[in-house]
Amino acid sequence: ARLVEYTPVAIKHVINEGTIIAHFDGRDKINYRDLIEAQDVHEYGLRQLSELTPIERRRLAYHEAGHTVASYYLMDRYFPAFVTLHMHSDLEGAAAFAHQRPKETIITKNQTDILAQIQISLASRASEELFLDVNLSGVSGDFMTATQLATAYIGIYGMDGTLTSVLAFQQLGGGGGMPIPKMPERIEALLQAQMKEVKQLFRDHSEAVIALAEALIEREELVADEIKELIDEADSRKVMKSVLNDFEPLLSLPE
């Protein structure tokens, strides 16, 4: 599933990169971990180490943990693949980033898929507010993506009942205006509703966000298996805590 939509040439490049990684590690055979690292290098480029102060490290970790945890719970057709606190050579301008990979070839998306993408874009701000009690400037790109998705949801895909397409007016030389009544208000209402949803998701899974962010602070980069393990373990601890709380009144009964 990791190499879905990869061409034979791309697969060959990943295997070659994995061979180089194994060689420099003193081994004459490649393993699964080598292929994971090789694919990350193939897609993102080489890691560019940056000196981060403790406060910047923590802020970036919770920002990217928000994207990653939201993706884990909301994107059934994808899996969280990689999250890092460092810039990579093939993604110039991204000081830190989280990325997901498709589990299958994806051509169409429904309402739930688009709303999930909006929530994942807004998840950075939701995480900052809930876990750091701060609003940071790094959400500018996330807000732009969320707004574009919300605009498409209403004015291009017709997913809220609107049949008028803003694209038609752009093609007719309308200057990209918004011919749909109260379009800005509807976009904002949709974004606010999705922010509320993703915040509730984080309240329900706060242990997962904290576990992932703290691990990211320590390790700086996490791959798919590590992400899944951290989130699943956090959820297991939450379930166990809930069970113990349910039994606590029984344990305290007098003999």
Side-chain angles (χ1 to χ4, degrees), residues 51-62 85 136:
E51 294 293 332
L52 298 173
T53 64
I55 188 171
E56 289 292 353
R57 182 184 296 267
R58 187 170 188 81
R59 287 175 172 179
L60 288 174
Y62 274 88
L85 299 185
L136 299 172

Side-chain angles (χ1 to χ4, degrees), residues 35-179:
L35 292 178
I36 291 175
E37 184 177 346
Q39 186 180 9
D40 292 337
V41 171
H42 176 72
E43 292 190 12
Y44 314 127
L46 297 174
R47 182 173 66 172
Q48 310 293 312
L49 290 177
S50 48
E51 294 293 332
L52 298 173
T53 64
I55 188 171
E56 289 292 353
R57 182 184 296 267
R58 187 170 188 81
R59 287 175 172 179
L60 288 174
Y62 274 88
H63 178 116
E64 301 303 339
H67 290 311
T68 306
V69 173
S71 177
Y72 183 85
Y73 290 115
L74 297 174
M75 302 287 276
D76 292 339
R77 303 169 76 188
Y78 296 77
F79 62 91
F82 189 74
V83 58
T84 179
L85 299 185
H86 293 290
M87 186 180 296
H88 282 241
S89 58
D90 288 356
L91 291 173
E92 295 182 6
F97 64 92
H99 185 250
Q100 58 270 352
R101 290 193 181 97
K103 298 177 182 177
E104 59 193 68
T105 299
I106 296 174
I107 299 174
T108 62
K109 298 177 182 179
N110 61 20
Q111 292 98 319
T112 301
D113 295 328
I114 303 301
L115 294 178
Q117 287 184 280
I118 294 173
Q119 289 185 41
I120 292 166
S121 295
L122 298 175
S124 52
R125 172 53 59 85
S127 179
E128 292 169 1
E129 291 188 348
L130 289 175
F131 300 100
L132 301 178
D133 191 27
V134 67
N135 288 165
L136 299 172
S137 60
V139 299
S140 58
D142 298 331
F143 279 11
M144 180 177 69
T145 298
T147 303
Q148 290 171 339
L149 288 166
T151 302
Y153 185 93
I154 296 170
I156 297 176
Y157 306 143
M159 289 180 170
D160 74 335
T162 299
L163 298 181
T164 301
S165 172
V166 297
L167 296 180
F169 291 84
Q170 293 174 4
Q171 293 173 0
L172 290 172
M178 293 291 184

Side-chain angles (χ1 to χ4, degrees), residues 182-247:
K182 297 185 177 180
M183 186 68 164
E185 292 87 349
R186 293 170 69 177
I187 292 171
E188 179 64 19
L190 180 60
L191 293 174
Q192 292 289 350
Q194 299 316 302
M195 175 64 85
K196 183 177 180 180
E197 290 289 333
V198 75
K199 279 190 172 181
Q200 186 58 52
L201 176 72
F202 286 169
R203 292 187 184 98
D204 293 339
H205 297 281
S206 58
E207 294 90 346
V209 180
I210 293 170
L212 193 71
E214 295 300 322
L216 196 53
I217 289 170
E218 179 183 352
R219 305 181 204 174
E220 300 184 345
E221 289 188 348
L222 300 170
V223 297
D225 293 342
E226 294 169 329
I227 293 168
K228 185 178 188 306
E229 182 179 7
L230 285 163
I231 295 177
D232 288 350
E233 286 179 353
D235 280 347
S236 296
R237 289 194 298 270
K238 178 186 176 182
V239 171
M240 183 59 67
K241 183 179 179 180
S242 177
V243 170
L244 292 175
N245 287 340
D246 290 342
F247 276 97

